């Protein structure tokens, strides 16, 4: 029989391993057959002892997905919503992305993709492929087309 203390230790270790959302912890507690008030008490304990902090999760998630995977704001925001974070936490996480870095990253990924597509001779097809790639990474459509206009010469 697993005691409440054992569950608390397991939950704390689960949160200490990497940042988690309340929904992820609730899901894990259900796998351990902990429901209702008991699960909520454990989550409250984890929040009080700072094992669980959705603001911190949002900041780390948004910052790392942008810097490491070079995701755009739309994709990051979508993922944060899918993880059931509040609008406030999403806003806090999105604030981690500096506007200048964002524009520079978009330009870098488009330049790199343009280099990969250097055999493409038709400018319209090149522009389409670049746009599809950047929009797929979650960058805003208007921003993508504006940047493509700057990096692909008009012929």
């Amino acid at each position: 029989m697993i005691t409440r203390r054992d569950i608390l230790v397991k939950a704390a270790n689960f949160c200490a391993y990497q940042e988690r959302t309340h929904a992820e912890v609730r899901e894990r507690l259900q796998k351990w057959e902990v429901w209702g008030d008991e699960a909520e008490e454990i989550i409250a304990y984890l929040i009080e002892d700072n094992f669980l902090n959705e603001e911190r999760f949002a900041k780390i998630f948004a910052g790392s997905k942008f810097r490491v995977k070079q995701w755009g704001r739309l994709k990051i925001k979508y993922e944060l919503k899918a993880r059931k974070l509040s609008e406030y936490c999403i806003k806090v996480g999105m604030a981690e992305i500096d506007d200048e870095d964002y524009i520079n990253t978009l330009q870098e990924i488009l330049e790199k993709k343009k280099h990969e597509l250097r055999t493409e001779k038709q400018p319209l097809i090149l522009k389409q492929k670049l746009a599809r790639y950047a929009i797929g990474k979650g960058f805003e459509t208007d921003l993508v087309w504006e940047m493509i206009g700057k990096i692909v010469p008009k012929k």
Side-chain angles (χ1 to χ4, degrees), residues 55-133:
E55 276 183 51
R56 188 174 62 211
F57 174 88
K59 285 179 176 181
I60 291 169
F61 184 90
S64 65
K65 292 299 181 192
F66 171 65
R67 282 187 290 281
V68 178
K69 292 198 171 194
Q70 297 179 320
W71 284 6
R73 287 187 174 123
L74 297 176
K75 189 170 185 173
I76 293 169
K77 195 178 281 188
Y78 175 81
E79 282 295 321
L80 290 172
K81 282 182 182 177
R83 292 165 190 268
K84 300 178 180 125
L85 266 71
S86 68
E87 283 299 317
Y88 172 76
C89 288
I90 291 171
K91 194 173 182 179
V92 168
M94 298 310 288
E96 287 295 296
I97 302 170
D98 179 68
D99 289 340
E100 193 176 324
D101 290 344
Y102 192 72
I103 300 294
N104 291 339
T105 298
L106 175 57
Q107 185 174 358
E108 285 172 24
I109 68 166
L110 286 171
E111 294 279 3
K112 185 177 175 187
K113 190 68 174 175
K114 181 182 167 196
H115 182 72
E116 289 173 16
L117 299 170
R118 65 185 171 274
T119 57
E120 184 56 65
K121 298 298 179 209
Q122 295 184 4
L124 286 176
I125 293 174
L126 174 64
K127 286 179 179 182
Q128 259 184 333
K129 288 180 178 182
L130 290 172
R132 195 175 308 122
Y133 176 72

Side-chain angles (χ1 to χ4, degrees), residues 47-59:
I47 292 168
E48 285 172 22
D49 282 11
N50 210 21
F51 283 104
L52 196 54
N53 183 326
E54 285 192 333
E55 276 183 51
R56 188 174 62 211
F57 174 88
K59 285 179 176 181

